[in-house]
Amino acid sequence: MKITIALSKGRIFEQTIPLLERLGITCNENPETSRKLILNTNQKDIKLIIVRATDVPTYVEYGAADIGITGKDILDEYMGEGLYQPIDLNIGRCKMMVAAKQDFDYAGAVKKGVRLKVATKYVKTAKEHFAKKGMHIDLIKLYGSMELAPLVGLADVIVDLVSTGKTLKANNLIAVEDICDISSRLIINQASLKLKRELLQPILGQFEKALKA
């Protein structure tokens, strides 16, 4: 019986590998250069699979992976069930924010209840945020280069992750409102938690211990 951990290359990956190494889990080959999607580790009962960040919850929910590491931003958008989120790993930290051109009067638009055009790939998060403010919006789903949307008149504002704010600044945009803090979470398939408890519990304990160290 093996434990499969789903990871995604990207903003979280570079911080996840050192965390796994603190647990004594290392890849048998360099995950950054390998083109393999299934990677064996120095632990014979643990393997890693590399998937798209947005697919991590799906692999875990349906049992193709027992454990996954993914951002709260993705989990907030995910509509599935059967996921247990026991640990905030406190890595990949950033903020979900509303951003606009520097000369856009966002506060005035909110106060007047103006119908805004909002570009984002975080559709559920954006809908819920503006619904709480009692605002009607037109959602425009994009998959990348979000900062371009206000610059070319496609949208009034964007909802996106902001880490350093350098990309916003480079494109003459500013963050105008915080939505929530984002960090990476450990997620577990609920069936695995029952069927593979003896294998999983020591790993979970190691994660918690490593975070306190």
Side-chain angles (χ1 to χ4, degrees):
M1 195 177 288
K2 279 197 171 188
I3 296 296
T4 300
I5 303 175
L7 302 176
S8 60
K9 291 187 179 180
R11 64 187 178 86
I12 299 169
F13 190 77
E14 291 178 2
Q15 295 175 55
T16 300
I17 293 301
L19 181 58
L20 290 175
E21 288 174 351
R22 280 158 66 187
L23 272 63
I25 302 170
T26 58
C27 294
N28 290 346
E29 53 194 289
N30 188 337
E32 291 285 6
T33 56
S34 175
R35 300 182 71 85
K36 291 181 181 178
L37 301 177
I38 299 176
L39 300 172
N40 291 317
T41 72
N42 63 328
Q43 308 284 341
K44 66 180 188 304
D45 55 355
I46 298 175
K47 66 179 179 180
L48 309 179
I49 61 173
I50 308 300
V51 302
R52 285 185 60 152
T54 50
D55 291 335
V56 170
T58 303
Y59 275 80
V60 175
E61 180 185 354
Y62 288 97
D66 304 293
I67 296 174
I69 294 175
T70 192
K72 183 178 179 291
D73 54 310
I74 289 170
L75 293 170
D76 285 349
E77 292 291 307
Y78 190 66
M79 305 296 284
E81 298 177 352
L83 296 176
Y84 177 50
Q85 302 178 41
I87 304 174
D88 181 350
L89 297 174
N90 207 29
I91 58 176
R93 296 192 67 83
C94 52
K95 286 180 178 292
M96 185 71 71
M97 305 188 86
V98 182
K101 288 170 65 177
Q102 292 184 2
D103 59 357
F104 182 75
D105 184 9
Y106 177 72
V110 171
K111 190 174 181 180
K112 294 174 185 173
V114 172
R115 189 181 186 103
L116 294 175
K117 291 184 292 181
V118 181
T120 188
K121 65 178 176 180
Y122 301 104
V123 172
K124 184 169 175 281
T125 299
K127 272 183 183 175
E128 290 176 356
H129 175 70
F130 287 102
K132 286 176 186 173
K133 300 170 80 70
M135 294 182 68
H136 294 287
I137 60 172
D138 295 318
L139 272 170
I140 301 163
K141 185 162 187 178
L142 295 177
Y143 293 93
S145 301
M146 218 67 61
E147 295 81 9
L148 184 61
L151 302 179
V152 297
L154 180 64
D156 300 307
V157 301
I158 62 172
V159 169
D160 202 11
L161 293 179
V162 177
S163 181
T164 63
K166 289 180 181 177
T167 306
L168 291 181
K169 187 176 181 180
N171 289 283
N172 296 313
L173 302 180
I174 55 170
V176 292
E177 188 171 33
D178 283 10
I179 295 180
C180 62
D181 291 324
I182 299 293
S183 58
S184 300
R185 308 298 166 99
L186 186 79
I187 58 174
I188 304 175
N189 175 275
Q190 289 185 353
S192 295
L193 199 55
K194 295 175 183 176
L195 298 172
K196 300 182 180 181
R197 179 172 289 274
E198 288 185 9
L199 283 174
L200 281 173
Q201 286 291 14
I203 295 173
L204 299 184
Q206 285 178 309
F207 267 108
E208 290 175 340
K209 187 177 179 181
L211 292 171
K212 290 175 183 175

